[in-house]
Amino acid sequence: MKVKCPDCEGEIKVPDDAIAGEIVSCPDCGQEYEVYFEDGKLKLKQAETVKEDWGE
Amino acid sequence: MVRVIITYDRIRVEEKALQRAGESLGADVRLIDVKDSFIDITKGEVNPEVLKGDVVIQRCVGHFRSLYLTAILESVGVPVINPFYATLICGDKLLTTLALRRAGVPTPKTIVAFTRDGALKALEEVGYPAILKPVVGSWGRLVSLIKDVETAKVVLEHRELLHPLYQIFYVQEFIKKPDRDIRCFVVGEEAIAAIYRYAAPGEWRSNTALGGRAVKMEMNDELREVSIKAAKAVGAHVVGVDCLESERGLLVHELNSVTEFRNAAPATGVDIAKKIMEYAIKLAKK
């Protein structure tokens, strides 16, 4: 499915089997978003940026 | 049917591979995003409901999230991969070195200091070039190759502006390795696969997160032995053991409790996700 970028209104393609927490990025502005669901509806929010304790 | 919970905060290739592997083995696998969850830790039972399972594979990319969530789940009797103490130790390079030394696993020479002056003496003692690492951190972040005392002073000055944890100075000898290190994957009591990680051009650190390249390594007895011993030393179920080749044989320098394997699985041809899932299912049935 296609979702409008909250920042630049570019067209972001989200896979149909997307899972909450999955990261998508806008092909126009490069901003990264995280997929989440509210009342069964797919939405996007700003993705977390890398934190000091991230890793494996 | 065994219910396997995979907790995550960011979906990576590994989490999807684990889910597929679990389903192919007939388990009821639930991927749970725990980022926004809130948990009553005085209830004495697993909550929220979605976290109820026979075993949990902890896959949060945030180390402290991973650590504290594991503590909470273990406190109500849920087996977690990895256990709390293993996560705690693997998440801290100083504690890792202590555990390895106690278990007789060879490590690079390491000196710890608590002030700038102490760190300068430690570097002098180890000899330049030396490596200065933060005790907590991953993907090679802030790991510094210090070539001389002038550079040391600058790096230490910068460190003083950071969180107090960065004033625990962990100084390690620089092993003149062939531009690579080794990552060996241990699941349970078995070393299942190993790769060489070649540093990317213009980079001395071989972390694949920094563009390092994964190449299959044929495991030998020495690697199997040190890796399994290292995993046992920290009490980990599933762990990525990082080793350096040296004149003194293999030296273990780091353990990864939420190990990434997206590059290693195709390079080695080993279905690492499946091995982990088989182990998780066995652990759940115990």
Side-chain angles (χ1 to χ4, degrees):
Chain A
M1 70 182 289
K2 287 168 185 164
V3 186
K4 222 185 224 182
C5 173
D7 267 11
C8 77
E9 302 198 338
E11 204 171 73
I12 303 175
K13 282 196 189 109
V14 182
D16 291 331
D17 60 351
I19 309 166
E22 204 157 315
I23 305 295
V24 292
S25 63
C26 173
D28 288 2
C29 70
Q31 182 64 51
E32 287 197 320
Y33 296 97
E34 182 186 323
V35 171
Y36 74 104
F37 294 91
E38 203 174 66
D39 302 326
K41 246 187 107 184
L42 185 147
K43 293 190 168 174
L44 298 182
K45 63 179 172 188
Q46 205 93 348
E48 277 191 302
T49 49
V50 175
K51 295 197 169 68
E52 277 175 41
D53 75 328
W54 279 25
E56 39 178 345
Chain B
M1 194 192 248
V2 172
R3 179 177 292 176
V4 183
I5 305 285
I6 301 173
T7 51
Y8 70 90
D9 50 11
R10 191 163 197 172
I11 287 277
R12 290 170 286 181
V13 179
E14 286 83 358
E15 287 71 50
K16 289 184 178 175
L18 285 167
Q19 184 187 33
R20 279 196 303 274
E23 283 166 356
S24 78
L25 291 166
D28 172 13
V29 184
R30 312 253 167 123
L31 272 167
I32 308 293
D33 181 357
V34 289
K35 250 195 324 298
D36 296 331
S37 58
F38 55 100
I39 303 168
D40 182 346
I41 62 167
T42 55
K43 227 173 170 179
E45 61 177 61
V46 183
N47 71 98
E49 196 71 23
V50 290
L51 286 174
K52 280 200 172 131
D54 302 305
V55 63
V56 171
I57 303 179
Q58 178 63 260
R59 292 291 311 176
C60 284
V61 70
H63 168 64
F64 291 110
R65 266 181 203 147
S66 207
L67 182 67
Y68 291 112
L69 184 59
T70 301
I72 294 166
L73 291 167
E74 273 188 359
S75 79
V76 287
V78 180
V80 184
I81 297 174
N82 281 299
F84 173 76
Y85 277 106
T87 308
L88 180 74
I89 295 168
C90 292
D92 185 306
K93 294 190 180 71
L94 193 160
L95 299 182
T96 300
T97 306
L98 294 179
L100 293 174
R101 196 217 45 88
R102 266 200 312 271
V105 178
T107 65
K109 181 181 177 72
T110 307
I111 301 185
V112 168
F114 304 108
T115 61
R116 178 182 169 279
D117 288 348
L120 284 170
K121 284 180 198 148
L123 286 159
E124 199 69 40
E125 174 74 21
V126 164
Y128 295 100
I131 297 174
L132 178 67
K133 296 180 180 179
V135 290
V136 170
S138 220
W139 295 338
R141 236 183 350 261
L142 293 183
V143 171
S144 316
L145 177 60
I146 311 229
K147 293 187 176 161
D148 50 44
V149 67
E150 285 75 26
T151 320
K153 284 179 180 166
V154 174
V155 172
L156 294 170
E157 204 175 307
H158 289 178
R159 281 285 197 92
E160 280 178 339
L161 300 173
L162 302 177
H163 185 275
L165 195 53
Y166 292 102
Q167 270 94 72
I168 306 299
F169 301 103
Y170 177 95
V171 177
Q172 203 158 59
E173 67 172 317
F174 178 59
I175 303 293
K176 284 166 206 66
K177 49 175 182 163
D179 59 344
R180 66 184 187 198
D181 73 351
I182 295 169
R183 161 77 55 94
C184 181
F185 297 87
V186 177
V187 176
E189 301 213 347
E190 196 193 347
I192 59 157
I195 50 166
Y196 289 117
R197 302 189 304 174
Y198 285 89
E203 174 62 67
W204 68 276
R205 296 166 292 185
S206 43
N207 305 70
T208 47
L210 298 172
R213 198 162 43 89
V215 176
K216 180 183 177 158
M217 178 197 173
E218 291 300 336
M219 281 188 282
N220 54 38
D221 289 343
E222 185 193 8
L223 179 67
R224 279 198 199 90
E225 195 192 311
V226 294
S227 301
I228 293 167
K229 212 166 163 186
K232 264 195 192 148
V234 300
H237 292 304
V238 173
V239 72
V241 180
D242 293 350
C243 311
L244 296 165
E245 298 153 275
S246 81
E247 285 164 359
R248 319 199 291 276
L250 290 176
L251 305 175
V252 177
H253 64 107
E254 201 174 309
L255 296 171
N256 302 276
S257 61
V258 183
T259 189
E260 291 171 346
F261 50 82
R262 77 185 67 174
N263 300 306
T268 59
V270 176
D271 193 341
I272 298 176
K274 193 172 172 198
K275 294 267 187 190
I276 295 173
M277 209 32 101
E278 282 168 348
Y279 182 84
I281 292 169
K282 218 165 64 190
L283 188 68
K285 286 180 176 166
K286 259 188 190 166

